Amino acid sequence: MHVTHDPAAAPAPSIDFDTFLAVDVRVGTIVDAKPFPEARKPAWRLWIDFGPAIGVRKSSAQITENHPLESLVGQQVAAVVNFPPRQIGPVVSEVLTLGFPDADGKVVLVQPSKPVPNGGRLF
């Protein structure tokens, strides 16, 4: 799923603006977070509220190293909401929660710098 964590890697091939717009990245608030012991790599199960148009969607996120479980509820995150659901062990992940690798390759969530309305679209 992840192409590379190397910050020195060359950029991906060019795409046109319409292709970029086809990826629906929205902001939502984590309303619940639970352990995901069945995951192959350490992960949390997240329930993220994207507002009335999209509702609450589930995600599996490998963010355990930088984001303690007890700190997640109430945080806003960015996620792709228009990928098809993906079966991850016994869990169906409905959105792709976004993050960047830190210096050790561990995921740091993409979050707005101040609160914004749930469901807001990245542009």
Side-chain angles (χ1 to χ4, degrees), residues 5-53:
H5 291 296
D6 181 2
S14 294
I15 60 171
D16 62 35
F17 192 67
D18 287 338
T19 301
F20 168 74
L21 289 177
V23 180
D24 193 353
V25 178
R26 304 283 183 117
V27 67
T29 300
I30 298 172
V31 295
D32 198 6
K34 297 190 183 319
F36 186 9
E38 303 90 351
R40 283 185 284 171
K41 294 182 180 180
W44 302 134
R45 293 173 58 198
L46 306 176
W47 286 259
I48 306 168
D49 181 2
F50 292 98

